[in-house]
Amino acid sequence: MTEPALDFSGRSALVTGAGSGIGAAVARWLDAHGIATLHLVDVNAEGMAALDLSCEVHRHVHDVSDPQFWGGFERAAGTLDHAVVNAGIALGGAPIAEQTFQHWRRVMAVNLDGAFLTLAAALRLMQANGGGSAVVTSSITAIKPVPGIGAYGVSKAGVAHMTRIAAAENAARGIRVNAVAPGGVDTAIWDSGEAFRKAVEDHGREGAIAAMGAGTPRGRFATADEIAGDIGYLLSDMAANVTGVVLNTDGGFSL
């Protein structure tokens, strides 16, 4: 039986980056906890189509960095109770002195600009609805500097601070805004890295993930479902007094 404070019956939620990884896991978690309507956004149409959900689902195959999409979404969505601002890309990386501006801007366009457009649209809908909650996916690399991934880390630091500002601006409106900062999670975001692809060739994907996780205090990477549980808690009424928090969920990596 679902804990009443974790019951999302009759509510609607937006999840970006829903075609795989954390976003797909959040969609499944919300469905299992009674959500009535889900708006899913991703460029990965096949991934979204593969989600077997029992609630009403609206799938939007769009890039979150497109402002025209969000204008249309607001007009069509009606009401909104919750939002998970999760879409992001990594695209490998390089030291800042060797980073191309084209790469920098592409990462910022999705991870920071797209998060801004998503959160702003969601906040307007929740303001009109009289309240709600949002969770933004940041990263432990927003807190702990990791060489070679400057664009990604800076974009995730930006969304973490955007979360705190949005929380301060909307608390009096009955809207809570929090973020999660995952460490290593077993998702497809690793697949774009050259070193990871080489490790997969040598040891298989499961072995490559296990080897990276072995060096963390917990001894393994998180699953997407574990992070979805953290996000679900922050969205839920169980976290009614929690806003403006960036929750480290990194298995001790930042210690």
Side-chain angles (χ1 to χ4, degrees):
M1 183 175 179
T2 301
E3 163 69 40
L6 288 176
D7 185 0
F8 288 76
S9 297
R11 302 185 190 181
S12 59
L14 162 69
V15 182
T16 65
S20 65
I22 293 171
V26 169
R28 293 191 298 267
W29 190 97
L30 286 168
D31 186 54
H33 287 79
I35 198 78
T37 305
L38 279 175
H39 297 276
L40 308 181
V41 183
D42 204 311
V43 294
N44 180 0
E46 291 183 1
M48 288 194 293
L51 285 168
D52 184 13
L53 304 171
S54 60
C55 63
E56 178 183 342
V57 183
H58 303 272
R59 295 173 173 85
H60 308 269
V61 183
H62 283 280
D63 185 332
V64 294
S65 65
D66 179 4
Q68 290 187 335
F69 163 69
W70 290 110
F73 176 82
E74 282 189 69
R75 290 189 293 273
T79 61
L80 187 69
D81 298 294
H82 306 286
V84 180
V85 184
N86 172 72
I89 58 174
L91 298 180
I96 287 174
E98 301 169 19
Q99 186 75 79
T100 67
F101 185 64
Q102 180 182 19
H103 181 280
W104 178 274
R105 277 305 319 147
R106 178 56 184 152
V107 172
M108 291 297 169
V110 175
N111 293 7
L112 187 53
D113 300 346
F116 159 73
L117 290 167
T118 305
L119 184 59
L123 287 171
R124 288 189 290 268
L125 287 167
M126 287 189 284
Q127 287 168 2
N129 199 32
S133 63
V135 177
V136 179
T137 303
S138 180
S139 168
I140 202 62
T141 62
I143 300 162
K144 180 174 181 176
V146 176
I149 58 168
Y152 183 81
V154 171
S155 71
K156 292 301 186 177
V159 300
H161 198 53
M162 181 177 69
T163 294
R164 291 185 282 262
I165 293 170
E169 291 174 343
N170 288 276
R173 295 174 179 264
I175 300 171
R176 298 183 299 103
V177 188
N178 294 290
V180 291
V185 184
D186 183 2
T187 71
I189 201 166
W190 296 102
D191 297 343
S192 63
E194 184 177 343
F196 182 75
R197 291 198 300 267
K198 179 63 168 62
V200 170
E201 290 178 7
D202 294 340
H203 307 291
R205 194 178 189 285
E206 185 175 330
I209 288 288
M212 291 192 299
T216 67
R218 190 184 184 197
R220 69 171 179 85
F221 275 5
T223 66
D225 289 331
E226 288 172 329
I227 305 303
D230 296 332
I231 292 171
Y233 160 73
L234 290 172
L235 287 175
S236 77
D237 295 343
M238 290 189 76
N241 197 45
V242 181
T243 195
V245 166
V246 179
L247 175 66
N248 287 5
T249 172
D250 65 350
F253 176 71
S254 58
L255 296 175

